[in-house]
Amino acid sequence: MPRLNRAGLKRRRKENIKSPGPGNYLIVTEGTETEVNYFKNIKRIIEGLFRSKIIVDKISLNVEGKGRATMVLVNEALKMRSLSTYSEVWVVFDKDDNNDFDEAIKFAENEGFNVAWSNECFELWLLLHFPILNSSISRNDYYSKLSHHFEKEKINNGIYDKNIKEIFDITYPCIDKAIKRSKDLIQEYKKNNIFLPSKMNPCTTVQSLVEELIKYIQPNSK
């Protein structure tokens, strides 16, 4: 006879509900410090959250910093993809002085890669967590502006540097603002019929990769 609860109803058998986890991601970055620190920080958080759960997919965010420029980086990602199976491959690189920036983005997309590019540099994404930036500045200016905000917010002794291991944790409280500001920048260029990434300065699509990953940290994020 089935066991009944106090209300006289049949007790439901406890079921092991599988929680879908991250797939097998490959993230190949041009930078070897800031970008790697940022995405490895996310990797640690996700692995910590899913370690004790029953998951469907293997948790694997393979973050590789190659220090290669644009097209060379994309070709490196092609080689890495051929050696394993990944649910998604992302390449992360900056405009800087690379003349093949637009070409590399198009080539990567044609190969089925997702591209998180920044014009001028990855630090733009970090700076968008603070008061809005909508005019082009040099790489050195990004560093000084970030240090200004770090000093104001009492972060890392008021100094921004590329070796901060917990850089995602530091900026995470304002991540929704950064995502919105990034998207607003892109929309503003489109309104003005500017679609070539090399002409969109300042601009970044790093938020696309971040949104893909934080859905495992924020279950309700879209």
Side-chain angles (χ1 to χ4, degrees), residues 21-70:
N24 193 14
Y25 288 75
L26 173 64
I27 302 172
V28 186
T29 78
E30 175 189 27
T32 58
E33 296 175 295
T34 307
E35 295 93 321
V36 173
N37 287 333
Y38 186 89
F39 291 111
K40 282 192 173 181
N41 191 173
I42 297 178
K43 170 186 169 80
R44 290 193 298 272
I45 294 170
I46 293 175
E47 290 181 335
L49 288 172
F50 283 87
R51 185 178 295 122
S52 61
K53 296 184 179 180
I54 301 173
I55 61 173
V56 175
D57 298 307
K58 175 184 176 184
I59 297 175
S60 180
L61 277 72
N62 186 13
V63 183
E64 296 283 346
K66 291 297 181 180
R68 310 286 178 84
T70 49

Side-chain angles (χ1 to χ4, degrees), residues 7 12 44 63 72 104 119 154 175 184-185 199:
R12 299 180 64 180
R44 290 193 298 272
V63 183
V72 177
N119 188 0
K154 296 180 172 54
I175 199 164
D184 287 346
L185 279 175
K199 302 297 184 183

Side-chain angles (χ1 to χ4, degrees), residues 112-167:
F113 293 162
N114 300 285
V115 185
W117 56 263
S118 298
N119 188 0
E120 185 79 20
C121 59
F122 184 83
E123 278 72 16
L124 166 62
W125 165 246
L126 300 180
L127 195 55
L128 288 171
H129 290 71
F130 303 99
I132 186 104
L133 173 74
N134 52 22
S135 59
S136 61
I137 58 176
S138 70
R139 176 181 284 271
N140 289 334
D141 286 336
Y142 279 108
Y143 299 158
S144 62
K145 284 183 177 293
L146 281 167
S147 288
H148 168 75
H149 291 299
F150 276 32
E151 182 177 10
K152 183 178 178 181
E153 302 294 332
K154 296 180 172 54
I155 300 170
N156 199 47
N157 296 317
I159 300 173
Y160 168 75
D161 66 67
K162 299 174 73 67
N163 293 312
I164 302 174
K165 302 296 184 184
E166 309 301 324
I167 187 63

